[in-house]
Amino acid sequence: MISKVFTAALNGIDAELIIVETDVSAGLPALNVVGLPGIEIREARERMRVAVHNMGVSFPARRVTVNLSPADTRKEGSHFDLPMAVGILGAMSLVPQQSLENTAFLGELSLDGSLKAIRGVLPLAEGILRNGIKNIVIPAENLREASLVEGVNLIPAGSLAEVSEVLRNPDFALELLERYSTKNSRKPKTPEKAFEKDFADVYGQENAKRALVIAAAGMHNIAMVGFPGSGKTMLASRLPGILPEMTYEEKLEVTKIYSIAGEISPDEPLMDKRPFRCPHHTISAAGLVGGGSRPRPGEISLSHNGVLFLDEFPEFTPSNLEMLRQPLESGEISICRAAGNYRFPADFMLVIAANPCRCGYYGDPMHNCTCTPSQIAGYRRHFSGPLLDRIDIQLEVMPVKYEELSCEAGISPDSGTMRASVSAARQVQEERFRGSGIKFNSSLAGSLLKKYCTPSPDGERLLEEAFRTLALSARARDRILRVSRTIADIEGDGQIGSAHIAEALSYRSLDKLYRG
Amino acid sequence: MVHDTKYAGTKKELINTEIINNEVNYIDAADERFPDSLRMIEDPPRGLYYVGNIQLLKTPSASVVGSRKATEYGKWVSKSIGTRLGTEGVTVISGLAVGIDSYAHMGALKAEGKTIAVLGGGINVACPAPNRNLMREIIYADGLVISEYEPGVTPSRFTFPRRNRIISGLSSATVVVEAGFGSGSLITAEYAAKQGKNVYAVPGNITSQASLGCNKLIYDGAIPLIVIEDILNEFNIEIKKSQGFSKKLGHDELTVCEYVANSGETDIDHICVGTGMSPGKASGIVTVLEMKGVICTGMGKIFIAK
């Protein structure tokens, strides 16, 4: 007879419903899986056979055919073990058919029949619920993560035997829920500091902090150039802390991405802090933007709603960097593979850091630079190109002197005050851009730029003057207008004045470097 | 005797077709256009290959040289000297290398003055590739590019020091803007001293690696270039007083300006602490002052430009 069991398959960060059809009929003993199964699913046959055997049921010595429907989409993931095993139990009439009707199954089987945690339970559960199925059987270890989905009836199980028990006796579900939710109960949260990494720890660097506030307020991408040890990484790692807190939807979206990447910790399933990713410069293309034959999210998606920090920016291969252009423009990445077209969100703030030259000391009076002029020119060539058009703020970071390190940071702002000015400026932008399709000043371009970024007459004069004397490029103009809009928002001014333009003009260190 | 000959190197070595079309000319030491100043030096060149206005060899000139690795300060000083000399009608001679040399040429071009580039290899051989455009600009601006090596000769570590004797020999004075230890411009200074020319050195911070050579030159008796106008004394040019900037500046600008002037070299954070301004305001004012040409910035450092 035939049984039908519901499960789901990942597609990008969404999941679609999959029906596992199992038939046990007369014929030579065999177990065939059809319906474009991935390699994990084909291997699942052996795990399933042993696990079913080890729960005390002899595996049918008959011809077993498993079909994953719809048959034309490729399926991957180890969570197909459980639905396929349940399908066989159903086809052997060991569990009642009607118990399978409004329930979906996710889980990886161990040879002894126990259930193991899977990747991507959050998007999978959400996809199943969207298709109208309320009950989901999941591995007990995934309970905390899956419970982020609202309106779903979760049944955690530790083994295949428990699953078959709960299918025969639906009341057993409550007992299971009680057993595993107490086992997994949340430790009382230790009162932690409001900011894990606080800007109060950074002495001096007033100018850099100011620039970071501007960057955070308008979601401007930022570049930092400075000698080794001047604090670029320290500053960048504190940036997510001053971004406003994520909304619940944003948190869920980030959690979904991390769930697919398998980076969720079982104790803290919800990603409630903005991500900060700093990939090493040897990262591959697939690692950066996402990829694989069945694409997984890359670093740019893992920094969605947060900060992507590229330290030693000129060391990244140029082709990798060019790949950032599309996501920076559209806030998502679309990856085309033989298996299909996948979209992952990738709306991040790009922070890049670089030394002035390869050895790091070009222009430092205290150290001798050992690079040759052509090495310096070669190093700087990495700064050119269209990617830099998307970086509005360019900052020079100077090392702090020993005397300043040893004294207490007096007037220096901490993360709390910095976040307050960021949030205030964000509010102004929210009201301004309501209904216009963009969210932040950094997205201003074309007619919107003209509409919202017309400076006062003396601001305009200053900008004109700057073009003449500082030899600015045309694309630098847009950049300066966007940044001065954010500065005006922080100061609470409706119109862009000359003071705002003047400050925005000071964040153009790469232009200077690029000019030689 | 005049030998006006057209030369062509191998294709790989050619700097660009324009130079070839612009034909490389030759004068030998017996030619009347060959300057006496070069005849009198030790080991004079037998002749010169050139592109451009050969008359420049006999104009009053000063050489402005320095290290390839220049600080923002050095670049600015070099360009300013070039501009000032160019304005006063003094020909600026340098070696077309990256760094100080290029900025000296650029300064002269900015003032629409005359400039001579002395190369360490054949004229049609790509000298530092990024400077091809500069070379073209010099030729178009009625300047002169010369070399004692025939077209096609690749510059080597031996030819560069040798051409320095031509740089110093052609000019009545030599200014070393920035030089670390072992910089080639120290060789130029040495030649100049041997040839009996005045050597000026731009003093730098004693902590600055880029100025060690210059400071050493001053110790050895070179004339320190205290203000840019000092070099004009060499040519008996009357120094016009520069207008004070204080009148044109607003109150806040003046505060920042005075602070920078008093601290010599500083950065935004120090200005904030010193003047009590917010970082945003201070960086804005610094930018405006930079645009007005009162101060100069580079790699986060800020210093007075006048």
Side-chain angles (χ1 to χ4, degrees):
Chain A
M1 77 176 279
I2 294 180
S3 72
K4 282 187 184 177
V5 175
F6 294 108
T7 185
L10 281 174
N11 180 6
I13 65 159
D14 292 318
E16 56 184 320
L17 196 68
I18 302 288
I19 301 168
V20 180
E21 300 169 337
T22 313
D23 174 70
V24 179
S25 54
L28 283 175
L31 172 52
N32 291 316
V33 182
V34 296
L36 288 185
I39 192 117
E40 309 94 314
I41 302 175
R42 263 174 276 162
E43 286 182 343
R45 291 186 303 188
E46 302 308 318
R47 285 196 291 273
M48 213 162 68
R49 196 197 302 273
V50 179
V52 169
H53 181 81
N54 281 343
M55 72 176 272
V57 177
S58 60
F59 199 82
R62 304 176 73 185
R63 188 173 183 84
V64 180
T65 309
V66 178
N67 177 35
L68 308 175
S69 155
D72 62 344
T73 56
R74 190 161 279 279
K75 293 129 198 119
E76 264 172 45
S78 58
H79 62 271
F80 283 93
D81 293 7
L82 180 64
M84 282 159 65
V86 170
I88 287 170
L89 297 180
M92 290 164 73
S93 302
L94 290 175
V95 292
Q97 193 65 242
Q98 68 271 15
S99 68
L100 302 176
E101 266 160 23
N102 196 22
T103 307
F105 298 83
L106 302 167
E108 177 184 326
L109 282 175
S110 179
L111 292 189
D112 62 1
S114 59
L115 279 179
K116 289 165 130 181
I118 56 164
R119 273 190 311 122
V121 73
L122 179 64
L124 286 168
E126 215 178 55
I128 291 168
L129 181 67
R130 212 177 32 244
N131 281 287
I133 294 173
K134 289 263 166 55
N135 304 318
I136 307 177
V137 178
I138 53 161
E141 278 174 63
N142 288 117
L143 178 60
R144 292 269 295 281
E145 186 187 334
S147 49
L148 295 174
V149 184
E150 278 164 27
V152 68
N153 185 12
L154 292 172
I155 305 164
S159 68
L160 186 57
E162 283 177 359
V163 176
S164 84
E165 173 65 32
V166 81
L167 289 176
R168 280 188 298 253
N169 170 20
D171 295 338
F172 186 54
L174 272 178
E175 196 181 313
L176 279 177
L177 199 60
E178 209 166 290
R179 184 187 303 167
Y180 290 113
S181 52
T182 50
K183 202 166 162 188
N184 272 313
S185 73
R186 190 176 285 254
K187 285 170 275 173
K189 234 185 173 181
T190 45
E192 52 181 317
K193 276 207 287 181
F195 300 98
E196 235 167 88
K197 288 183 167 177
D198 198 309
F199 270 106
D201 307 334
V202 183
Y203 294 160
Q205 306 288 19
E206 309 299 320
N207 188 39
K209 286 184 187 176
R210 165 76 177 177
L212 288 173
V213 166
I214 298 167
M219 274 302 259
H220 300 286
N221 300 319
I222 182 168
M224 294 188 279
V225 180
F227 306 127
S230 52
K232 301 183 289 284
T233 309
M234 193 175 183
L235 287 164
S237 63
R238 281 160 176 75
L239 188 55
I242 62 167
L243 293 169
E245 191 161 353
M246 287 191 282
T247 61
Y248 186 73
E249 287 72 30
E250 284 175 329
K251 287 178 186 171
L252 216 55
E253 199 173 22
V254 173
T255 310
K256 267 160 77 171
I257 299 168
Y258 274 74
S259 174
I260 293 166
E263 295 204 17
I264 295 279
S265 91
D267 296 330
E268 291 282 339
L270 184 65
M271 301 286 301
D272 57 356
K273 293 229 166 61
R274 288 188 184 265
F276 176 78
R277 307 289 298 191
C278 46
H280 189 250
H281 58 75
T282 52
I283 190 170
S284 68
L288 190 61
V289 297
S293 64
R294 176 91 184 179
R296 285 206 206 174
E299 289 292 329
I300 60 166
S301 298
L302 292 172
S303 45
H304 180 61
N305 284 332
V307 173
L308 177 66
F309 178 51
L310 303 183
D311 202 0
E312 309 293 355
F313 174 76
E315 304 286 349
F316 283 80
T317 48
S319 62
N320 280 359
L321 294 174
E322 291 309 306
M323 284 185 303
L324 296 178
R325 279 160 61 186
Q326 187 225 346
L328 278 174
E329 208 68 52
S330 61
E332 60 174 16
I333 178 83
S334 140
I335 303 167
C336 262
R337 290 293 185 270
N341 204 349
Y342 301 86
R343 279 175 189 284
F344 291 111
D347 195 359
F348 56 92
M349 187 171 158
L350 180 64
V351 180
I352 67 173
N355 294 330
C357 68
R358 178 152 287 173
C359 82
Y361 292 112
Y362 180 80
D364 184 350
M366 313 305 272
H367 296 86
N368 214 349
C369 166
T370 54
C371 303
T372 64
S374 62
Q375 274 178 326
I376 295 172
Y379 190 79
R380 295 201 174 160
R381 213 159 289 139
H382 293 272
F383 288 113
S384 64
L387 182 63
L388 282 201
D389 290 353
R390 305 294 308 168
I391 295 177
D392 290 345
I393 299 183
Q394 306 163 355
L395 179 71
E396 284 153 347
V397 183
M398 294 299 289
V400 176
K401 300 224 172 64
Y402 181 77
E403 309 90 81
E404 291 156 20
L405 267 185
S406 47
C407 74
E408 272 305 307
I411 51 158
S412 199
D414 58 6
S415 287
T417 40
M418 287 166 79
R419 187 192 247 189
S421 16
V422 170
S423 303
R426 283 274 175 108
Q427 204 136 23
V428 177
Q429 294 173 61
E430 199 177 306
E431 276 162 33
R432 178 187 309 137
F433 297 135
R434 193 165 288 149
S436 68
I438 61 172
K439 273 151 79 187
F440 304 113
N441 290 337
S442 56
S443 326
L444 281 169
S447 61
L448 281 177
L449 187 76
K450 211 166 182 180
K451 184 174 170 195
Y452 294 119
C453 298
T454 308
S456 65
D458 40 320
E460 189 69 57
R461 260 200 305 282
L462 181 70
L463 197 58
E464 245 179 66
E465 185 69 14
F467 257 76
R468 225 168 35 76
T469 50
L470 302 177
L472 294 181
S473 64
R475 61 175 183 240
R477 183 194 148 90
D478 290 4
R479 225 158 49 200
I480 284 156
L481 281 176
R482 284 196 289 262
V483 175
S484 46
R485 179 69 267 167
T486 306
I487 296 171
D489 289 345
I490 291 174
E491 304 294 337
D493 293 331
Q495 191 171 34
I496 299 173
S498 54
H500 308 136
I501 298 262
E503 191 184 346
L505 279 168
S506 68
Y507 305 119
R508 51 174 180 85
S509 58
L510 284 180
D511 281 351
K512 277 195 260 180
L513 271 183
Y514 192 31
R515 270 189 290 136
Chain B
M1 286 282 280
V2 185
H3 302 273
D4 278 356
T5 331
K6 208 169 177 180
Y7 290 90
T10 61
K11 201 173 177 188
K12 190 180 154 200
E13 289 165 329
L14 294 181
I15 167 164
N16 55 40
T17 47
E18 269 168 78
I19 297 284
I20 308 159
N21 298 339
N22 238 317
E23 54 188 74
V24 181
N25 300 308
Y26 179 76
I27 54 169
D28 70 10
D31 195 289
E32 55 175 10
R33 289 172 293 177
F34 196 88
D36 291 337
S37 53
L38 262 194
R39 288 195 183 111
M40 290 187 297
I41 65 171
E42 200 185 321
D43 187 16
R46 284 196 208 152
L48 291 174
Y49 296 86
Y50 71 93
V51 177
N53 178 5
I54 192 71
Q55 309 298 338
L56 290 184
L57 288 181
K58 293 200 169 174
T59 52
S61 58
S63 50
V64 180
V65 295
S67 125
R68 288 182 169 79
K69 265 185 270 174
T71 64
E72 290 297 323
Y73 169 73
K75 289 176 190 169
W76 176 82
V77 171
S78 179
K79 198 168 178 181
S80 306
I81 296 177
T83 309
R84 197 62 211 262
L85 290 172
T87 323
E88 302 295 348
V90 178
T91 304
V92 177
I93 303 180
S94 197
L96 200 72
V98 291
I100 299 292
D101 286 14
S102 303
Y103 279 85
H105 289 303
M106 286 195 270
L109 292 176
K110 187 182 159 203
E112 297 178 357
K114 299 286 178 268
T115 181
I116 302 177
V118 186
L119 304 189
I123 288 186
N124 60 353
V125 175
C127 48
N131 278 1
R132 285 175 190 174
N133 284 335
L134 185 56
M135 182 163 164
R136 218 172 298 161
E137 274 175 48
I138 290 175
I139 294 168
Y140 285 155
D142 200 23
L144 176 65
V145 179
I146 59 171
S147 169
E148 64 173 313
Y149 301 101
E150 64 179 45
V153 173
T154 320
S156 71
R157 53 184 309 173
F158 311 107
T159 59
F160 281 122
R162 272 180 67 77
R163 67 92 196 259
N164 288 350
R165 78 188 196 287
I166 302 180
I167 295 184
S168 61
L170 275 176
S171 45
S172 2
T174 296
V175 185
V176 184
V177 178
E178 260 188 344
F181 262 136
S183 163
S185 41
L186 296 180
I187 299 175
T188 316
E190 206 174 303
Y191 277 126
K194 267 194 209 159
Q195 293 159 357
K197 311 283 173 73
N198 274 343
V199 178
Y200 291 80
V202 177
N205 285 349
I206 58 167
T207 51
S208 170
Q209 299 276 347
S211 286
L212 277 179
C214 279
N215 291 342
K216 180 79 171 25
L217 279 178
I218 294 172
Y219 178 84
D220 290 341
I223 308 167
L225 193 78
I226 308 292
V227 290
I228 286 170
E229 282 72 20
D230 281 355
I231 183 70
L232 299 178
N233 292 332
E234 197 72 26
F235 303 93
N236 296 321
I237 295 169
E238 207 180 306
I239 299 164
K240 283 167 260 159
K241 277 220 165 136
S242 63
Q243 323 105 302
F245 50 75
S246 7
K247 277 180 215 156
K248 295 180 287 180
L249 302 181
H251 176 258
D252 284 342
E253 289 174 344
L254 215 55
T255 316
V256 172
C257 204
E258 272 165 15
Y259 182 80
V260 177
N262 290 337
S263 34
E265 190 183 84
T266 182
D267 55 45
I268 293 278
D269 287 356
H270 282 93
I271 294 179
C272 296
V273 176
T275 62
M277 288 181 190
S278 72
K281 189 177 177 188
S283 23
I285 289 174
V286 164
T287 311
V288 173
L289 286 174
E290 190 183 2
M291 283 162 55
K292 290 186 175 170
V294 182
I295 60 170
C296 209
T297 67
M299 266 329 290
K301 288 196 216 71
I302 300 160
F303 42 85
I304 285 286
K306 270 192 180 168

